[in-house]
Amino acid sequence: MPIRTATMKKRISANGLALHRAKESGMAEAVAELTEERRTLKEEREKRKAQALLPRPSALDRLVRTHHPEAKGKKSRKEAHPADETTKPKARKSRAEKHAEKAAAVEAARRSPKKPAK
C-alpha cells in the first residue's frame, strides 16, 4: 500500500528516532530492520520528488477531456422507430409570421362592425 505523501517526513523522522534508540540499546537485528525501512522510505520520497517534476496536463487538456466520450445505452432516433412509421415534422411558423398573423387579426377585428349587445 502506498504511503501518504503528507506522512513521509514524519515517518522518516520517527524511524530515525527508533533507529537511534536501537543503536543505543545494542539490538543489531532491530538496527538492520530499521535501516532497511529508512532506506525504502527515502527511496520512495525521491521517487515522489521526481514524479512531481514531470509535466502535468494543462487546464485546457483537462477541460477538453470528457469522462464519458460516448453515451451508453441510449438509442438514436433512427434505431428507436422503424423506418416505415416515420412522420414528417410539423411545420412551425417563424416569429415574423406569428406577429404578422396577429397584426392581421387585430386589424380585421378593428374594421369589422361591432355586434349589438343582447
Side-chain angles (χ1 to χ4, degrees), residues 85-106:
E85 293 182 16
T86 58
T87 59
K88 292 183 180 179
K90 294 180 182 178
R92 295 200 167 94
K93 296 179 185 177
S94 69
R95 179 177 176 270
E97 290 172 341
K98 289 177 186 177
H99 282 284
E101 186 178 305
K102 186 176 181 181
V106 168

PDB file of all heavy atoms in Angstrom, residues 85-106:
ATOM      1  N   GLU A  85     -42.638   3.890 -40.049  1.00  0.00           N
ATOM      2  CA  GLU A  85     -43.503   4.653 -39.157  1.00  0.00           C
ATOM      3  C   GLU A  85     -43.066   6.099 -38.985  1.00  0.00           C
ATOM      4  O   GLU A  85     -43.643   6.825 -38.192  1.00  0.00           O
ATOM      5  CB  GLU A  85     -43.541   3.985 -37.783  1.00  0.00           C
ATOM      6  CG  GLU A  85     -44.207   2.639 -37.776  1.00  0.00           C
ATOM      7  CD  GLU A  85     -44.246   2.050 -36.382  1.00  0.00           C
ATOM      8  OE1 GLU A  85     -44.032   2.801 -35.407  1.00  0.00           O
ATOM      9  OE2 GLU A  85     -44.486   0.846 -36.267  1.00  0.00           O
ATOM     10  N   THR A  86     -42.072   6.519 -39.705  1.00  0.00           N
ATOM     11  CA  THR A  86     -41.579   7.889 -39.521  1.00  0.00           C
ATOM     12  C   THR A  86     -42.574   8.880 -40.084  1.00  0.00           C
ATOM     13  O   THR A  86     -43.232   8.640 -41.092  1.00  0.00           O
ATOM     14  CB  THR A  86     -40.217   8.091 -40.210  1.00  0.00           C
ATOM     15  OG1 THR A  86     -40.359   7.784 -41.588  1.00  0.00           O
ATOM     16  CG2 THR A  86     -39.166   7.229 -39.580  1.00  0.00           C
ATOM     17  N   THR A  87     -42.710   9.991 -39.422  1.00  0.00           N
ATOM     18  CA  THR A  87     -43.599  11.056 -39.859  1.00  0.00           C
ATOM     19  C   THR A  87     -42.795  12.316 -40.068  1.00  0.00           C
ATOM     20  O   THR A  87     -41.730  12.496 -39.459  1.00  0.00           O
ATOM     21  CB  THR A  87     -44.702  11.325 -38.816  1.00  0.00           C
ATOM     22  OG1 THR A  87     -44.066  11.682 -37.581  1.00  0.00           O
ATOM     23  CG2 THR A  87     -45.572  10.117 -38.623  1.00  0.00           C
ATOM     24  N   LYS A  88     -43.320  13.182 -40.895  1.00  0.00           N
ATOM     25  CA  LYS A  88     -42.630  14.442 -41.144  1.00  0.00           C
ATOM     26  C   LYS A  88     -42.821  15.351 -39.936  1.00  0.00           C
ATOM     27  O   LYS A  88     -43.874  15.328 -39.299  1.00  0.00           O
ATOM     28  CB  LYS A  88     -43.209  15.110 -42.389  1.00  0.00           C
ATOM     29  CG  LYS A  88     -42.905  14.360 -43.655  1.00  0.00           C
ATOM     30  CD  LYS A  88     -43.432  15.118 -44.843  1.00  0.00           C
ATOM     31  CE  LYS A  88     -43.122  14.358 -46.116  1.00  0.00           C
ATOM     32  NZ  LYS A  88     -43.642  15.062 -47.300  1.00  0.00           N
ATOM     33  N   PRO A  89     -41.836  16.164 -39.621  1.00  0.00           N
ATOM     34  CA  PRO A  89     -42.007  17.093 -38.501  1.00  0.00           C
ATOM     35  C   PRO A  89     -43.047  18.154 -38.844  1.00  0.00           C
ATOM     36  O   PRO A  89     -43.263  18.485 -40.010  1.00  0.00           O
ATOM     37  CB  PRO A  89     -40.619  17.704 -38.332  1.00  0.00           C
ATOM     38  CG  PRO A  89     -39.951  17.512 -39.640  1.00  0.00           C
ATOM     39  CD  PRO A  89     -40.529  16.260 -40.230  1.00  0.00           C
ATOM     40  N   LYS A  90     -43.707  18.678 -37.818  1.00  0.00           N
ATOM     41  CA  LYS A  90     -44.727  19.700 -38.023  1.00  0.00           C
ATOM     42  C   LYS A  90     -44.077  20.979 -38.529  1.00  0.00           C
ATOM     43  O   LYS A  90     -42.984  21.341 -38.101  1.00  0.00           O
ATOM     44  CB  LYS A  90     -45.444  19.995 -36.714  1.00  0.00           C
ATOM     45  CG  LYS A  90     -46.264  18.843 -36.195  1.00  0.00           C
ATOM     46  CD  LYS A  90     -46.935  19.238 -34.906  1.00  0.00           C
ATOM     47  CE  LYS A  90     -47.724  18.086 -34.340  1.00  0.00           C
ATOM     48  NZ  LYS A  90     -48.356  18.438 -33.056  1.00  0.00           N
ATOM     49  N   ALA A  91     -44.791  21.645 -39.445  1.00  0.00           N
ATOM     50  CA  ALA A  91     -44.285  22.921 -39.942  1.00  0.00           C
ATOM     51  C   ALA A  91     -44.472  23.955 -38.843  1.00  0.00           C
ATOM     52  O   ALA A  91     -45.570  24.104 -38.295  1.00  0.00           O
ATOM     53  CB  ALA A  91     -45.037  23.321 -41.199  1.00  0.00           C
ATOM     54  N   ARG A  92     -43.456  24.668 -38.530  1.00  0.00           N
ATOM     55  CA  ARG A  92     -43.520  25.667 -37.476  1.00  0.00           C
ATOM     56  C   ARG A  92     -43.440  27.061 -38.087  1.00  0.00           C
ATOM     57  O   ARG A  92     -42.664  27.295 -39.024  1.00  0.00           O
ATOM     58  CB  ARG A  92     -42.382  25.454 -36.479  1.00  0.00           C
ATOM     59  CG  ARG A  92     -42.526  24.145 -35.741  1.00  0.00           C
ATOM     60  CD  ARG A  92     -41.710  24.193 -34.454  1.00  0.00           C
ATOM     61  NE  ARG A  92     -42.065  23.085 -33.592  1.00  0.00           N
ATOM     62  CZ  ARG A  92     -41.426  21.926 -33.566  1.00  0.00           C
ATOM     63  NH1 ARG A  92     -40.407  21.716 -34.363  1.00  0.00           N
ATOM     64  NH2 ARG A  92     -41.812  20.976 -32.738  1.00  0.00           N
ATOM     65  N   LYS A  93     -44.209  27.969 -37.518  1.00  0.00           N
ATOM     66  CA  LYS A  93     -44.206  29.333 -38.016  1.00  0.00           C
ATOM     67  C   LYS A  93     -43.050  30.096 -37.399  1.00  0.00           C
ATOM     68  O   LYS A  93     -42.704  29.892 -36.238  1.00  0.00           O
ATOM     69  CB  LYS A  93     -45.518  30.025 -37.649  1.00  0.00           C
ATOM     70  CG  LYS A  93     -46.725  29.422 -38.296  1.00  0.00           C
ATOM     71  CD  LYS A  93     -47.978  30.158 -37.853  1.00  0.00           C
ATOM     72  CE  LYS A  93     -49.213  29.483 -38.411  1.00  0.00           C
ATOM     73  NZ  LYS A  93     -50.435  30.135 -37.943  1.00  0.00           N
ATOM     74  N   SER A  94     -42.505  30.999 -38.184  1.00  0.00           N
ATOM     75  CA  SER A  94     -41.433  31.826 -37.655  1.00  0.00           C
ATOM     76  C   SER A  94     -42.030  32.932 -36.791  1.00  0.00           C
ATOM     77  O   SER A  94     -43.249  33.178 -36.797  1.00  0.00           O
ATOM     78  CB  SER A  94     -40.622  32.436 -38.802  1.00  0.00           C
ATOM     79  OG  SER A  94     -41.406  33.392 -39.481  1.00  0.00           O
ATOM     80  N   ARG A  95     -41.195  33.634 -36.084  1.00  0.00           N
ATOM     81  CA  ARG A  95     -41.645  34.715 -35.209  1.00  0.00           C
ATOM     82  C   ARG A  95     -42.318  35.808 -36.024  1.00  0.00           C
ATOM     83  O   ARG A  95     -43.363  36.347 -35.641  1.00  0.00           O
ATOM     84  CB  ARG A  95     -40.435  35.253 -34.439  1.00  0.00           C
ATOM     85  CG  ARG A  95     -40.738  36.389 -33.511  1.00  0.00           C
ATOM     86  CD  ARG A  95     -39.463  36.782 -32.744  1.00  0.00           C
ATOM     87  NE  ARG A  95     -39.698  37.923 -31.918  1.00  0.00           N
ATOM     88  CZ  ARG A  95     -39.525  39.182 -32.298  1.00  0.00           C
ATOM     89  NH1 ARG A  95     -39.133  39.463 -33.515  1.00  0.00           N
ATOM     90  NH2 ARG A  95     -39.752  40.178 -31.454  1.00  0.00           N
ATOM     91  N   ALA A  96     -41.719  36.135 -37.162  1.00  0.00           N
ATOM     92  CA  ALA A  96     -42.276  37.190 -38.013  1.00  0.00           C
ATOM     93  C   ALA A  96     -43.652  36.789 -38.536  1.00  0.00           C
ATOM     94  O   ALA A  96     -44.569  37.625 -38.599  1.00  0.00           O
ATOM     95  CB  ALA A  96     -41.332  37.483 -39.168  1.00  0.00           C
ATOM     96  N   GLU A  97     -43.818  35.540 -38.921  1.00  0.00           N
ATOM     97  CA  GLU A  97     -45.113  35.072 -39.412  1.00  0.00           C
ATOM     98  C   GLU A  97     -46.176  35.145 -38.307  1.00  0.00           C
ATOM     99  O   GLU A  97     -47.324  35.546 -38.561  1.00  0.00           O
ATOM    100  CB  GLU A  97     -45.005  33.638 -39.930  1.00  0.00           C
ATOM    101  CG  GLU A  97     -44.212  33.525 -41.218  1.00  0.00           C
ATOM    102  CD  GLU A  97     -43.943  32.083 -41.606  1.00  0.00           C
ATOM    103  OE1 GLU A  97     -44.039  31.183 -40.729  1.00  0.00           O
ATOM    104  OE2 GLU A  97     -43.651  31.859 -42.792  1.00  0.00           O
ATOM    105  N   LYS A  98     -45.807  34.777 -37.093  1.00  0.00           N
ATOM    106  CA  LYS A  98     -46.758  34.844 -35.980  1.00  0.00           C
ATOM    107  C   LYS A  98     -47.199  36.280 -35.720  1.00  0.00           C
ATOM    108  O   LYS A  98     -48.389  36.560 -35.500  1.00  0.00           O
ATOM    109  CB  LYS A  98     -46.140  34.258 -34.718  1.00  0.00           C
ATOM    110  CG  LYS A  98     -45.967  32.757 -34.766  1.00  0.00           C
ATOM    111  CD  LYS A  98     -45.279  32.291 -33.496  1.00  0.00           C
ATOM    112  CE  LYS A  98     -44.965  30.809 -33.568  1.00  0.00           C
ATOM    113  NZ  LYS A  98     -44.228  30.357 -32.385  1.00  0.00           N
ATOM    114  N   HIS A  99     -46.258  37.235 -35.737  1.00  0.00           N
ATOM    115  CA  HIS A  99     -46.586  38.637 -35.490  1.00  0.00           C
ATOM    116  C   HIS A  99     -47.455  39.200 -36.616  1.00  0.00           C
ATOM    117  O   HIS A  99     -48.387  39.986 -36.363  1.00  0.00           O
ATOM    118  CB  HIS A  99     -45.316  39.476 -35.321  1.00  0.00           C
ATOM    119  CG  HIS A  99     -44.690  39.325 -33.972  1.00  0.00           C
ATOM    120  ND1 HIS A  99     -45.207  39.935 -32.850  1.00  0.00           N
ATOM    121  CD2 HIS A  99     -43.599  38.630 -33.550  1.00  0.00           C
ATOM    122  CE1 HIS A  99     -44.475  39.626 -31.798  1.00  0.00           C
ATOM    123  NE2 HIS A  99     -43.486  38.832 -32.198  1.00  0.00           N
ATOM    124  N   ALA A 100     -47.155  38.800 -37.847  1.00  0.00           N
ATOM    125  CA  ALA A 100     -47.957  39.290 -38.979  1.00  0.00           C
ATOM    126  C   ALA A 100     -49.385  38.761 -38.883  1.00  0.00           C
ATOM    127  O   ALA A 100     -50.361  39.497 -39.141  1.00  0.00           O
ATOM    128  CB  ALA A 100     -47.317  38.850 -40.295  1.00  0.00           C
ATOM    129  N   GLU A 101     -49.537  37.501 -38.494  1.00  0.00           N
ATOM    130  CA  GLU A 101     -50.861  36.904 -38.349  1.00  0.00           C
ATOM    131  C   GLU A 101     -51.658  37.605 -37.241  1.00  0.00           C
ATOM    132  O   GLU A 101     -52.836  37.900 -37.387  1.00  0.00           O
ATOM    133  CB  GLU A 101     -50.720  35.413 -38.038  1.00  0.00           C
ATOM    134  CG  GLU A 101     -52.022  34.658 -38.006  1.00  0.00           C
ATOM    135  CD  GLU A 101     -51.791  33.179 -37.743  1.00  0.00           C
ATOM    136  OE1 GLU A 101     -51.026  32.550 -38.489  1.00  0.00           O
ATOM    137  OE2 GLU A 101     -52.388  32.678 -36.764  1.00  0.00           O
ATOM    138  N   LYS A 102     -50.992  37.894 -36.144  1.00  0.00           N
ATOM    139  CA  LYS A 102     -51.652  38.574 -35.027  1.00  0.00           C
ATOM    140  C   LYS A 102     -52.066  39.988 -35.419  1.00  0.00           C
ATOM    141  O   LYS A 102     -53.174  40.454 -35.098  1.00  0.00           O
ATOM    142  CB  LYS A 102     -50.716  38.604 -33.818  1.00  0.00           C
ATOM    143  CG  LYS A 102     -51.351  39.157 -32.570  1.00  0.00           C
ATOM    144  CD  LYS A 102     -50.402  39.058 -31.400  1.00  0.00           C
ATOM    145  CE  LYS A 102     -51.047  39.601 -30.135  1.00  0.00           C
ATOM    146  NZ  LYS A 102     -50.141  39.536 -28.991  1.00  0.00           N
ATOM    147  N   ALA A 103     -51.191  40.682 -36.132  1.00  0.00           N
ATOM    148  CA  ALA A 103     -51.498  42.044 -36.567  1.00  0.00           C
ATOM    149  C   ALA A 103     -52.678  42.039 -37.533  1.00  0.00           C
ATOM    150  O   ALA A 103     -53.555  42.929 -37.477  1.00  0.00           O
ATOM    151  CB  ALA A 103     -50.280  42.676 -37.214  1.00  0.00           C
ATOM    152  N   ALA A 104     -52.734  41.037 -38.414  1.00  0.00           N
ATOM    153  CA  ALA A 104     -53.845  40.942 -39.364  1.00  0.00           C
ATOM    154  C   ALA A 104     -55.148  40.671 -38.618  1.00  0.00           C
ATOM    155  O   ALA A 104     -56.208  41.236 -38.975  1.00  0.00           O
ATOM    156  CB  ALA A 104     -53.570  39.836 -40.378  1.00  0.00           C
ATOM    157  N   ALA A 105     -55.118  39.839 -37.596  1.00  0.00           N
ATOM    158  CA  ALA A 105     -56.320  39.545 -36.817  1.00  0.00           C
ATOM    159  C   ALA A 105     -56.797  40.775 -36.072  1.00  0.00           C
ATOM    160  O   ALA A 105     -58.015  41.052 -35.999  1.00  0.00           O
ATOM    161  CB  ALA A 105     -56.045  38.409 -35.844  1.00  0.00           C
ATOM    162  N   VAL A 106     -55.885  41.541 -35.509  1.00  0.00           N
ATOM    163  CA  VAL A 106     -56.248  42.765 -34.790  1.00  0.00           C
ATOM    164  C   VAL A 106     -56.856  43.770 -35.764  1.00  0.00           C
ATOM    165  O   VAL A 106     -57.877  44.435 -35.460  1.00  0.00           O
ATOM    166  CB  VAL A 106     -55.018  43.349 -34.060  1.00  0.00           C
ATOM    167  CG1 VAL A 106     -55.276  44.757 -33.556  1.00  0.00           C
ATOM    168  CG2 VAL A 106     -54.604  42.449 -32.919  1.00  0.00           C
TER     169      VAL A 106
END
